[in-house]
Amino acid sequence: MLRSYEGYMNYQIACEKIIAGLNSENNRLLLHSCCAPCSSYVLVYLRKYFRITVFYYNPNISFLEEYRRRAEEQKRFIDELNQKKEEGTYPIDYVEGDFEPDCFFEVAKGLEKEREGGERCFRCYELRLRKTAEYAKRNQYDFFTTTLSISPLKAAAKLNEIGVALSKEYGVSYLLSDFKKKNGYKMSVELSKEHNLYRQDYCGCVYSREERRLAKQQMDSKNEV
């Protein structure tokens, strides 16, 4: 049944309420993931409640080498979690979407100069979540959601707004979340260190990378003074 929790302002509390209301041990969740570090805590947390398939779909990553490196780290982390076979947890599956950066550049057109966290990012959220919702609908998942809210740089309210809208459009329940809450982000950093995961300092798109480069350049210039 499609569940609606739009009225909740604390999305992590809403997530916990949805989990508490699960009435089956076979709830299938399609989890969009941007990278292994962001997925780390989310997978450890949710695999106790859902049969998760990680959906790696990130057309915002503009360079194939970077895309593949992140994809391989994602698969390695999933393999390591599955090998642990912890009691009370479900095995995690993995599926990879197409590498199609042209789709990202199309939605970003005209917004190339936007700062990170603005309308260009919102369109990118929608692009990735729409593809996730489509896959979830086609393959009869009970829920879909994304790891993106783990990041302090991502707008959880906007992600959940988009997720709820797509949930209504596709008829698949969206798992509301703000995974950075309750030390979620801190734990993702610790898990990344524990598993020696490759961590990048930009989201993946050329615009984010350039913004990080300029910020680093300015910082280096200040340190030289």
Side-chain angles (χ1 to χ4, degrees):
M1 183 177 70
L2 189 63
R3 298 166 176 83
S4 175
Y5 287 82
E6 299 101 309
Y8 286 92
M9 296 301 293
N10 187 317
Y11 296 106
Q12 195 53 34
I13 289 178
C15 179
E16 292 168 4
K17 287 182 177 291
I18 293 171
I19 289 172
L22 295 176
N23 55 13
S24 168
E25 295 182 357
N26 294 302
N27 291 284
R28 299 174 67 231
L29 168 69
L30 186 66
L31 175 67
H32 165 264
S33 178
C34 54
C35 61
C38 286
S39 77
S40 57
Y41 165 71
V42 180
L43 287 173
V44 169
Y45 169 49
L46 293 180
R47 69 185 300 220
K48 295 177 287 186
Y49 310 108
F50 296 96
R51 297 185 181 275
I52 301 172
T53 298
V54 169
F55 182 51
Y56 181 82
Y57 175 71
N58 298 291
N60 58 307
I61 303 177
S62 308
F63 305 101
L64 181 58
E65 182 179 359
E66 179 71 14
Y67 181 92
R68 290 262 37 99
R69 184 175 183 184
R70 297 190 194 191
E72 292 307 313
E73 279 293 87
Q74 181 68 81
K75 289 190 284 187
R76 178 173 71 84
F77 179 67
I78 291 171
D79 287 342
E80 290 182 7
L81 283 186
N82 283 337
Q83 287 169 15
K84 286 185 176 181
K85 297 181 179 178
E86 294 181 0
E87 185 177 355
T89 64
Y90 297 108
I92 300 164
D93 293 323
Y94 173 86
V95 65
E96 191 169 321
D98 296 326
F99 177 63
E100 43 189 18
D102 287 348
C103 292
F104 168 75
F105 287 120
E106 182 62 31
V107 300
K109 192 175 295 183
L111 299 169
E112 294 86 353
K113 301 297 183 183
E114 280 268 321
R115 294 291 301 273
E116 186 174 0
E119 181 61 29
R120 186 185 67 240
C121 292
F122 297 162
R123 292 189 185 182
C124 181
Y125 299 168
E126 199 273 343
L127 171 64
R128 291 187 276 176
L129 278 170
R130 178 172 293 279
K131 186 71 75 169
T132 308
E134 288 173 353
Y135 190 96
K137 175 69 172 181
R138 188 165 63 250
N139 293 278
Q140 300 182 316
Y141 282 84
D142 300 296
F143 294 87
F144 73 101
T145 195
T146 178
T147 64
L148 288 169
S149 70
I150 194 79
S151 170
L153 300 176
K154 300 293 188 291
K158 192 66 178 180
L159 286 164
N160 285 283
E161 175 188 316
I162 293 168
V164 167
L166 291 171
S167 173
K168 293 176 180 177
E169 182 176 344
Y170 288 92
V172 182
S173 293
Y174 182 74
L175 183 64
L176 296 171
S177 68
D178 190 355
F179 292 121
K180 70 177 71 65
K181 299 289 188 180
K182 297 190 174 181
N183 289 321
Y185 176 70
K186 179 183 177 182
M187 292 178 71
S188 75
V189 173
E190 292 172 355
L191 283 163
S192 296
K193 291 178 179 177
E194 178 185 337
H195 290 266
N196 194 29
L197 297 177
Y198 165 61
R199 291 180 65 86
Q200 58 288 330
D201 64 355
Y202 69 103
C203 79
C205 76
V206 292
Y207 313 115
S208 172
R209 189 176 75 162
E210 179 64 9
E211 192 171 319
R212 291 290 190 279
R213 187 190 69 80
L214 291 174
K216 185 176 184 301
Q217 189 177 69
Q218 291 174 356
M219 183 63 69
D220 290 345
S221 297
K222 287 180 181 180
N223 290 337
E224 290 175 0
V225 175

